[in-house]
């Protein structure tokens, strides 16, 4: 495989794998008691919205959002709004660390639960999403960002 083909192939791998993760975890949330983070999501949304959004509605909205992002990445629809929305989502997944630490660390602050591992793995996804933002370049003549896929 030539270097040019290898770069083109790698430019497609990262968004596809992000899309698979988003799609899988988004779809799980549509089915009751299948997502390991279902209770955590419901409690986090309840706390963040001060009980204004019902648990099931919040879970369905999040499931729809994650599924949409997953499909967009798998369909190679990588515009800045989708990538920045995914970055905002991933950043928000860290809010339980601050508002619900007892669920993530148990009684000991240095004990890591399965839920906290579920959250902290998002650091990798955040790094991958941030690396995708390098694909955007400001077109000063047209005044907007356009995707640039470099093929060397």
């Amino acid at each position: 495989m030539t270097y040019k083909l290898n770069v083109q192939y790698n430019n497609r791998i990262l968004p596809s794998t992000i899309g698979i993760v988003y799609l899988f975890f988004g779809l799980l949330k549509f089915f009751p008691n299948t997502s390991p983070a279902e209770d955590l999501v419901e409690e986090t949304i309840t706390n963040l919205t001060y009980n204004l959004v019902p648990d099931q509605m919040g879970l369905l909205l999040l499931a729809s959002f994650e599924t949409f992002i997953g499909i967009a990445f798998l369909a190679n629809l990588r515009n800045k709004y989708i990538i920045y929305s995914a970055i905002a989502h991933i950043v928000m997944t860290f809010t339980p660390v601050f508002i619900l630490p007892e669920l993530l660390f148990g009684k000991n602050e240095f004990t890591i639960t399965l839920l906290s591992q579920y959250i902290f793995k998002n650091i990798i996804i955040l790094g991958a999403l941030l690396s995708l933002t390098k694909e955007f370049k400001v077109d000063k003549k047209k005044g907007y960002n356009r995707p640039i896929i470099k093929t060397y």
Side-chain angles (χ1 to χ4, degrees), residues 26-79:
L27 288 175
L28 279 180
K29 288 178 182 71
F30 281 114
F31 304 101
N33 302 317
T34 57
S35 173
E38 184 174 328
D39 294 334
L40 180 66
V41 167
E42 289 176 349
E43 196 161 341
T44 301
I45 290 173
T46 298
N47 284 333
L48 288 175
T49 63
Y50 299 103
N51 294 322
L52 294 176
V53 177
D55 290 347
Q56 287 302 314
M57 180 186 288
L59 190 63
L60 288 175
L61 288 171
L62 182 63
S64 301
F65 182 69
E66 289 178 351
T67 302
F68 170 75
I69 290 175
I71 291 169
F73 275 110
L74 287 171
N76 203 25
L77 301 175
R78 291 182 292 179
N79 70 36

Side-chain angles (χ1 to χ4, degrees), residues 85-149:
S85 295
I87 289 171
H89 167 263
I90 287 294
V91 169
M92 291 301 291
T93 64
F94 291 100
T95 57
V97 173
F98 305 106
I99 65 173
L100 300 168
E102 66 279 358
L103 293 178
L104 302 177
F105 301 108
K107 295 176 184 173
N108 183 351
E109 292 177 1
F110 299 106
T111 303
I112 295 177
T113 64
L114 187 59
L115 279 176
S116 57
Q117 292 177 35
Y118 191 80
I119 290 173
F120 286 118
K121 62 102 173 96
N122 289 336
I123 291 172
I124 296 168
I125 297 172
L126 179 61
L129 287 167
L130 289 172
S131 73
L132 291 178
T133 62
K134 292 180 180 180
E135 295 179 359
F136 297 105
K137 179 181 177 184
V138 175
D139 187 341
K140 293 180 182 177
K141 292 179 184 175
K142 294 183 181 177
Y144 62 88
N145 289 347
R146 58 185 172 88
I148 301 293
I149 306 291

